[in-house]
Amino acid sequence: MDHRELTPPYVRLLIRLVRPFPNWDFFFIKLLRQKAVEALQFKSGSRVLDAGCGSGGTFPYLADAIGPLGEVVGVEISPEAATNARRRIEANHWKNVHVVEGDAKTVKLNGTFDGLVMFAAPDVYASPEAVGNLFAYLKSNARIVVFGAKLSKHPLGALLNILFRALMKLSFSSTPALNYEPLGVLRGRLADLQIREYIFGCMFLAWGSIESSITTENLTDTR
């Protein structure tokens, strides 16, 4: 498949209208990006993989966390989104942030990583092939953080389920349908897995490590 076919029409339009790259986020999403990076508990000099990085919205938070001695490697399947991520890198003059254009299921990378971010990338974290390929590049104590949307069982979440299902149809063609258990592929692979839910259970942020012992704590925030 031509990877250009995976880019939704609205992304192509946004790329044409916004130069040099879409440099905005909802305030709520900015906070979640920050929380995601904090959950990784990086030290200066860490090396992190941002899979499904899009236009690099999480890059600023990652770059701050790892410092000039660390490295961020983004993986993005959409050529258009990868181009915008590179524009973001150039605009910020980052020398230690890079983008690899490719499919997370098969992408070839160099070296190993201290952490893995999958922010709004369900075609990555819900894919056994992608998770298996990426985990092969993680160190034994690497930390993983995931953000995404899901179906809600909350009484007030029924209408939001309809809305989120409609929005997902506008996303990448490779994006899987929403379900109640988005972490099915990752459960059993992550130790100390913690999950926090938002917007009546329609969004989640999850983090853990690939250590041997597994303890799952489910924290719900219905703000």
Side-chain angles (χ1 to χ4, degrees):
M1 177 185 292
D2 186 340
H3 289 172
R4 288 174 296 181
E5 297 178 4
L6 296 176
T7 307
Y10 80 89
V11 174
R12 294 197 184 102
L13 178 62
L14 192 61
I15 289 170
R16 293 190 183 99
L17 295 178
V18 184
R19 298 288 181 172
F21 54 87
N23 192 28
W24 62 274
D25 257 335
F26 293 109
F27 179 71
F28 176 69
I29 298 300
K30 286 183 178 180
L31 289 178
L32 287 176
R33 290 190 193 277
Q34 184 64 49
K35 287 179 178 291
V37 173
E38 290 173 356
L40 290 169
Q41 300 176 3
F42 280 146
K43 297 179 181 178
S44 178
S46 295
R47 194 165 187 252
V48 58
L49 182 60
D50 186 351
C53 66
S55 62
T58 310
F59 286 176
Y61 307 95
L62 292 171
D64 285 345
I66 64 170
L69 299 180
E71 184 182 19
V72 177
V73 177
V75 174
E76 176 53 49
I77 195 171
S78 164
E80 289 92 345
T83 294
N84 270 358
R86 294 188 181 100
R87 289 171 179 164
R88 187 187 300 272
I89 292 170
E90 292 172 3
N92 286 278
H93 307 290
W94 290 317
K95 302 300 183 184
N96 59 341
V97 182
H98 312 283
V99 176
V100 177
E101 186 180 311
D103 189 338
K105 300 182 182 71
T106 56
V107 67
K108 304 296 183 183
L109 302 169
N110 295 318
T112 56
F113 296 86
D114 300 289
L116 169 62
V117 178
M118 294 174 282
F119 198 95
D123 51 326
V124 179
Y125 63 74
S127 166
E129 296 82 6
V131 169
N133 183 46
L134 297 176
F135 270 45
Y137 294 98
L138 298 181
K139 296 179 181 179
S140 60
N141 60 344
R143 293 185 62 80
I144 294 91
V145 65
V146 184
F147 166 77
K150 58 183 282 293
L151 294 181
S152 171
K153 294 182 180 179
H154 192 282
L156 297 178
L159 291 177
L160 290 174
N161 287 343
I162 297 173
L163 173 61
F164 274 71
R165 276 181 167 139
L167 291 174
M168 293 300 282
K169 290 181 180 179
L170 300 175
S171 186
F172 290 75
S173 60
S174 60
T175 300
L178 287 180
N179 58 66
Y180 293 100
E181 181 45 87
L183 294 173
V185 174
L186 290 173
R187 284 192 185 275
R189 287 177 174 262
L190 299 184
D192 305 317
L193 177 62
Q194 298 185 59
I195 306 169
R196 179 160 295 187
E197 296 183 350
Y198 300 88
I199 311 182
F200 306 111
C202 286
M203 288 185 175
F204 71 93
L205 184 68
W207 63 94
S209 65
I210 55 175
E211 297 170 347
S212 56
S213 60
I214 297 176
T215 303
T216 301
E217 180 182 359
N218 192 350
L219 303 176
T220 301
D221 183 350
T222 56
R223 288 176 293 176

